[in-house]
Amino acid sequence: MKLRMDDLTWQEIDGELVILDLQGSVYLTTNAAGAFLTKLLTEERSEGELTDALIAEYRIDRETAERDVDAFVAQLKDQNLLA
Protein backbone atom coordinates (compact mmCIF):
# COMPACT_ATOMS: atom_id res chain seq x y z
CA MET A 1 0.00 0.00 0.00
CA LYS A 2 1.04 3.56 -0.60
CA LEU A 3 -0.26 7.01 0.22
CA ARG A 4 -2.17 8.64 -2.60
CA MET A 5 -0.04 11.57 -3.77
CA ASP A 6 -2.46 13.44 -6.03
CA ASP A 7 -4.36 16.33 -4.43
CA LEU A 8 -2.78 15.76 -1.00
CA THR A 9 -0.75 18.20 0.99
CA TRP A 10 0.53 18.09 4.53
CA GLN A 11 2.25 20.21 7.09
CA GLU A 12 4.31 18.93 10.01
CA ILE A 13 3.91 20.93 13.20
CA ASP A 14 5.85 19.96 16.33
CA GLY A 15 6.19 16.35 15.18
CA GLU A 16 2.50 15.97 14.34
CA LEU A 17 1.08 16.00 10.83
CA VAL A 18 -1.95 17.70 9.32
CA ILE A 19 -2.94 16.07 6.03
CA LEU A 20 -5.30 17.93 3.71
CA ASP A 21 -7.11 16.09 0.94
CA LEU A 22 -7.81 18.81 -1.62
CA GLN A 23 -9.96 16.42 -3.65
CA GLY A 24 -12.42 15.67 -0.86
CA SER A 25 -11.92 18.81 1.24
CA VAL A 26 -11.11 16.61 4.23
CA TYR A 27 -8.27 16.87 6.69
CA LEU A 28 -6.70 14.38 9.04
CA THR A 29 -4.38 15.08 11.94
CA THR A 30 -1.88 12.57 13.27
CA ASN A 31 0.31 12.26 16.30
CA ALA A 32 4.06 11.67 15.98
CA ALA A 33 3.62 7.94 15.27
CA GLY A 34 1.06 8.73 12.55
CA ALA A 35 3.47 11.27 11.03
CA PHE A 36 6.18 8.59 11.04
CA LEU A 37 3.90 6.07 9.31
CA THR A 38 2.65 8.62 6.79
CA LYS A 39 6.19 9.41 5.71
CA LEU A 40 6.87 5.69 5.25
CA LEU A 41 3.80 5.45 3.03
CA THR A 42 5.26 7.79 0.43
CA GLU A 43 6.71 4.50 -0.88
CA GLU A 44 5.00 1.13 -1.24
CA ARG A 45 4.88 -0.67 2.15
CA SER A 46 3.08 -3.65 3.64
CA GLU A 47 1.34 -3.56 7.00
CA GLY A 48 4.06 -5.88 8.28
CA GLU A 49 6.76 -3.43 7.23
CA LEU A 50 4.89 -0.58 8.94
CA THR A 51 4.55 -2.67 12.10
CA ASP A 52 8.25 -3.54 12.13
CA ALA A 53 9.20 0.11 11.59
CA LEU A 54 6.92 1.25 14.43
CA ILE A 55 8.45 -1.33 16.78
CA ALA A 56 11.97 -0.24 15.87
CA GLU A 57 11.21 3.49 16.16
CA TYR A 58 9.16 3.47 19.37
CA ARG A 59 10.30 0.24 21.02
CA ILE A 60 6.76 -0.98 21.60
CA ASP A 61 5.50 -4.55 21.65
CA ARG A 62 4.28 -6.22 18.45
CA GLU A 63 0.65 -6.46 19.58
CA THR A 64 0.44 -2.72 20.23
CA ALA A 65 2.23 -1.90 16.98
CA GLU A 66 -0.08 -4.16 14.95
CA ARG A 67 -3.16 -2.65 16.57
CA ASP A 68 -1.89 0.90 15.93
CA VAL A 69 -0.96 0.17 12.30
CA ASP A 70 -4.33 -1.52 11.66
CA ALA A 71 -6.21 1.47 13.08
CA PHE A 72 -4.09 3.98 11.17
CA VAL A 73 -4.41 2.13 7.85
CA ALA A 74 -8.17 1.78 8.37
CA GLN A 75 -8.44 5.52 8.91
CA LEU A 76 -6.43 6.23 5.75
CA LYS A 77 -8.68 3.84 3.79
CA ASP A 78 -11.83 5.45 5.20
CA GLN A 79 -10.56 8.85 4.04
CA ASN A 80 -9.54 7.44 0.60
CA LEU A 81 -5.94 8.51 1.16
CA LEU A 82 -4.32 5.31 -0.11
CA ALA A 83 -3.50 4.68 -3.76
Side-chain angles (χ1 to χ4, degrees):
M1 83 189 83
K2 182 178 176 180
L3 194 64
R4 191 187 85 213
M5 300 309 287
D6 59 311
D7 294 324
L8 284 185
T9 186
W10 65 70
Q11 178 75 37
E12 188 168 0
I13 303 168
D14 295 327
E16 297 183 352
L17 207 58
V18 177
I19 304 169
L20 177 60
D21 176 5
L22 302 171
Q23 197 174 64
S25 298
V26 175
Y27 76 94
L28 173 70
T29 59
T30 71
N31 59 16
F36 175 74
L37 292 173
T38 300
K39 290 173 187 175
L40 291 176
L41 285 170
T42 59
E43 296 182 15
E44 187 70 29
R45 309 278 182 186
S46 69
E47 285 192 40
E49 289 171 318
L50 295 175
T51 298
D52 291 342
L54 206 57
I55 291 168
E57 181 71 15
Y58 292 98
R59 308 228 183 255
I60 59 176
D61 63 271
R62 180 160 297 278
E63 182 179 329
T64 299
E66 287 174 345
R67 186 177 58 243
D68 290 352
V69 166
D70 287 346
F72 187 68
V73 168
Q75 191 172 23
L76 293 177
K77 286 179 181 176
D78 286 347
Q79 299 294 327
N80 295 315
L81 298 177
L82 295 176

